[in-house]
Amino acid sequence: MDHSYRAALNGGSGRPGRMHPGFAPSYAPVDPEPLPGDREDANSRIFAFVDDLFFQAKIQETARKLNVKVEFCKAEKDLLDHMKQNGEEKPSLIIFDMNNVNAKPLTLIPKLKTKLKKGTSIIGFLSHVQGDLKQKAHEVGCDMVLPRSAFSQNLPQLLRRHGAPDEETAG
C-alpha cells in the first residue's frame, strides 16, 4: 500500500503529528484590547455566582488580562452587601453558573431582576444538553443563557463590554 500521502500531511518529515503549513489554521484568535488605566481602586461592576473552580480561574484570568474587576459571590447577601458599600451602585453584569446549587439561580434571578431593573444584564451558562434548564432560566429572567463552550468563547467580549466605565460604554 502506498503511504506517500502521509509525507505531505506530516510536513514531509515522515513523522506523525507534524502538519504541513498549508493545513494549519490560517488565523490566530484575537483577544480584545484591555481597558485603559489602573482599575485596582475601581468598584466591581461584574459579579459572578460561580463555584466551579475551572470557570472561576478562567473568568479571573480573562478579567486580569482585560483590566476588569470581577467579584465572586456565594449568596445574594454578598451581592447586596457590596452594593450597599458602594452607594447602591448597580452591577453592569451578573454571571450565573446555572448548576451552582448553593446560589439557587432559579429563585435568585427573579429577585435580582425586580430589584435591579434594566440596568443590569444577567447571563447564565450551563451544559449544552440542559435544554429544560435553559428554558427555565429564560423564564425567570436571564437575559442570555449560553452553553459552557459559547460562554468561554465569548467571555472576553462580555467582560470588556460590561466592565467598561459608563462614560466608555455610552460613547
Side-chain angles (χ1 to χ4, degrees):
M1 180 185 258
D2 181 18
H3 294 289
S4 61
Y5 67 92
R6 287 185 175 173
L9 288 176
N10 296 331
S13 68
R15 290 182 285 162
R18 306 217 64 192
M19 291 185 67
H20 187 274
F23 291 101
S26 59
Y27 67 92
V30 178
D31 286 333
E33 289 289 316
L35 292 172
D38 184 23
R39 310 257 312 144
E40 286 300 316
D41 60 340
N43 290 336
S44 199
R45 299 173 42 93
I46 302 173
F47 296 87
F49 287 88
V50 178
D51 63 353
D52 180 318
L53 293 177
F54 172 78
F55 275 94
Q56 275 187 359
K58 186 173 207 51
I59 292 167
Q60 284 175 326
E61 181 62 18
T62 304
R64 186 189 63 74
K65 285 180 181 176
L66 294 173
N67 211 13
V68 172
K69 193 172 180 182
V70 176
E71 199 162 309
F72 290 90
C73 303
K74 293 195 183 303
E76 176 184 15
K77 184 183 181 311
D78 299 341
L79 177 63
L80 298 177
D81 287 348
H82 183 83
M83 285 173 53
K84 283 179 187 168
Q85 290 172 357
N86 294 321
E88 297 296 323
E89 181 183 348
K90 292 182 179 172
S92 170
L93 173 67
I94 300 175
I95 300 168
F96 273 95
D97 177 351
M98 298 307 294
N99 293 302
N100 183 348
V101 182
N102 297 326
K104 300 181 185 96
L106 293 178
T107 56
L108 183 54
I109 290 171
K111 285 184 195 175
L112 293 175
K113 264 311 208 195
T114 56
K115 185 179 294 264
L116 299 172
K117 307 282 187 258
K118 293 183 181 185
T120 302
S121 295
I122 298 179
I123 296 177
F125 65 89
L126 41 67
S127 171
H128 70 281
V129 297
Q130 294 178 299
D132 290 344
L133 183 56
K134 180 178 182 179
Q135 183 62 36
K136 287 178 186 169
H138 278 296
E139 288 170 5
V140 298
C142 254
D143 298 306
M144 189 185 313
V145 183
L146 300 167
R148 291 177 180 276
S149 58
F151 174 75
S152 294
Q153 193 173 13
N154 293 306
L155 184 61
Q157 293 83 1
L158 291 169
L159 292 182
R160 188 174 203 304
R161 182 181 330 136
H162 292 282
D166 286 331
E167 58 272 10
E168 245 183 73
T169 57

